[in-house]
Amino acid sequence: MTSSARRLAEIRGGVPPRRHNARTVAALTGNPGCTRRAVLDSAGVDKPKLAERIGFPARFGQSRFAITRGNAFEAQVKADGGAELLRLVAERLGVPVPAEASWTDLGGADDLPDRHERSRAALTDPGEGAALFDHPLLGLDVAGQRVHLEPDLVAARLAGRFHVVEVKSFPVVDGQADPAKVSAAAVQSAVYVLALRELLAAEGHGPELVSHEVVLVCPRDFGNRPVASLLDVRKQLLALRRQLDRMARIEALLADVPAEFTADLDADPGTLVAALSRVEARYAPECLAACELAYFCRHEARGHTSALGRPVREALGGIVEVAEVLALAAGERAPDPEQGEAAALLRAAARLRADALTGGPA
């Protein structure tokens, strides 16, 4: 065990690590400047339980009913060796529906090296026929760590190319789905596309072998009849690759983490709050939909410009306190040299607000 792995295990405490998935990778790369999340995710900390332990439970996630419904829909779509799924994917891609296709389930045992090798062997087999691969185990480098991704997805090989297939339980009503859920599915699918491309690249294949078009399968209207749509994830792939390249390695992050930092769930809540407060976070309102610790970080950021969102924070040129922003806008204090431009904009905004409230300039 490396020194970094040993340190991460100490931070987590005496429990097995939670594994990364596409959602955690997407959320982490969506906010690469958040050291707190990067360290906790690298350590495999159970963030939902940690949030509950410190009194700020997460308020998002699927209900048990939604999870049950989603599992039932996925099982229905994949029934009979994926025959219906194969038809949906082929028709959406505009290729003839194959008379037959192989189905390989790569899930099962929890022996990660064995599963990864089985996935590599199956996905790099030079077969020419149509094939469906369920639950392949993929890998991706995140902050200098190799993480295993265990997606509930199907990789479909049709017409000589792979397409990632995402089965989701949110409905498509009158041809439209919830934009936020579609956007989240696109980002998560991009994680799988990138991981699959890297697996094939190690065998000498070019990225074009894995299509940037993801097939999204959802229930139509309010029934369980599936419908397939195409998602172009090129933009998400570019952003994901860029953010992964920008992320600091975990060794560098740990160098700035206090030696006594802990996220051990057996620790006293006050101790955990004090420990978390000593590791830099980068809160933004978008975190509320992506990170289990967002409500704690929002509480911590109260009175700071970060709580107003990244565009506001960046427009204010690094002014941290809301009280300082108001004082500069009112002309109650002189700006520092580096705050001159932001202060001028704040004073102009204050004049515009006053004019709007009074009906126009005096």
Side-chain angles (χ1 to χ4, degrees):
M1 182 181 290
T2 66
S3 58
S4 293
R6 189 162 44 250
R7 180 73 183 97
L8 293 173
E10 292 170 354
I11 289 172
R12 183 177 64 251
V15 294
R18 285 174 64 101
R19 297 193 187 116
H20 268 293
N21 55 42
R23 188 183 67 80
T24 64
V25 173
L28 186 58
T29 55
N31 191 4
C34 185
T35 300
R36 182 180 295 168
R37 170 149 197 162
V39 170
L40 293 175
D41 279 350
S42 295
V45 172
D46 190 330
K47 294 199 300 299
K49 289 185 178 179
L50 178 61
E52 289 183 10
R53 181 72 170 154
I54 62 176
F56 290 89
R59 304 178 195 175
F60 68 90
Q62 288 186 310
S63 67
R64 290 185 179 181
F65 172 76
I67 293 173
T68 301
R69 182 185 61 198
N71 290 339
F73 178 69
E74 181 179 335
Q76 172 193 329
V77 169
K78 294 179 179 179
D80 300 323
E84 175 68 0
L85 184 62
L86 181 65
R87 182 190 65 79
L88 284 169
V89 172
E91 290 181 353
R92 178 50 60 191
L93 294 177
V95 300
V97 180
E100 59 180 25
S102 62
W103 173 277
T104 305
D105 190 341
L106 295 164
D110 202 34
D111 185 339
L112 296 185
D114 176 67
R115 279 191 59 199
H116 188 270
E117 176 56 28
R118 286 193 293 115
S119 297
R120 186 203 63 77
L123 291 165
T124 58
D125 186 288
E128 296 296 330
L132 299 172
F133 303 93
D134 198 15
H135 297 100
L137 185 68
L138 307 175
L140 202 61
D141 287 324
V142 180
Q145 277 191 316
R146 189 67 177 174
V147 302
H148 292 290
L149 302 173
E150 300 181 84
D152 290 328
L153 66 81
V154 173
R157 187 176 66 209
L158 286 171
R161 300 184 75 193
F162 284 97
H163 287 79
V164 167
V165 181
E166 272 285 301
V167 181
K168 296 292 188 183
S169 61
F170 57 81
V172 175
V173 181
D174 294 331
Q176 300 292 324
D178 184 328
K181 292 181 179 179
V182 173
S183 177
V187 175
Q188 293 172 28
S189 297
V191 174
Y192 298 142
V193 171
L194 181 60
L196 184 53
R197 283 183 172 181
E198 290 194 355
L199 183 147
L200 294 172
E203 301 294 320
H205 300 291
E208 67 282 353
L209 188 60
V210 183
S211 175
H212 58 263
E213 288 188 316
V214 170
V215 182
L216 178 64
V217 179
C218 299
R220 185 197 300 273
D221 298 327
F222 298 102
N224 278 333
R225 184 178 179 186
V227 60
S229 309
L230 287 183
L231 296 179
D232 188 331
V233 299
R234 278 178 292 186
K235 182 175 71 173
Q236 290 82 1
L237 279 168
L238 288 172
L240 176 65
R241 183 73 275 171
R242 182 173 64 251
Q243 298 293 51
L244 285 172
D245 290 341
R246 287 176 56 194
M247 288 181 66
R249 293 180 63 85
I250 189 59
E251 293 86 353
L253 294 175
L254 287 174
D256 294 328
V257 173
E260 67 276 12
F261 175 73
T262 182
D264 189 338
L265 295 175
D266 289 333
D268 176 80
T271 300
L272 291 171
V273 168
L276 289 170
S277 298
R278 297 186 63 190
V279 177
E280 182 183 3
R282 192 172 175 82
Y283 172 77
E286 305 93 274
C287 296
L288 294 172
C291 182
E292 295 86 347
L293 285 176
Y295 286 92
F296 169 72
C297 296
R298 183 179 68 171
H299 173 79
E300 186 182 51
R302 185 169 296 169
H304 293 71
T305 55
S306 61
L308 304 176
R310 293 183 189 124
V312 173
R313 180 178 58 202
E314 291 166 3
L316 292 174
I319 302 174
V320 175
E321 302 288 341
V322 172
E324 187 178 4
V325 170
L326 296 176
L328 288 170
E332 296 172 356
R333 66 173 292 275
D336 295 333
E338 67 274 11
Q339 296 174 338
E341 183 177 349
L345 290 173
L346 288 168
R347 288 194 295 270
R351 287 194 298 270
L352 288 172
R353 180 179 182 275
D355 291 345
L357 293 174
T358 61

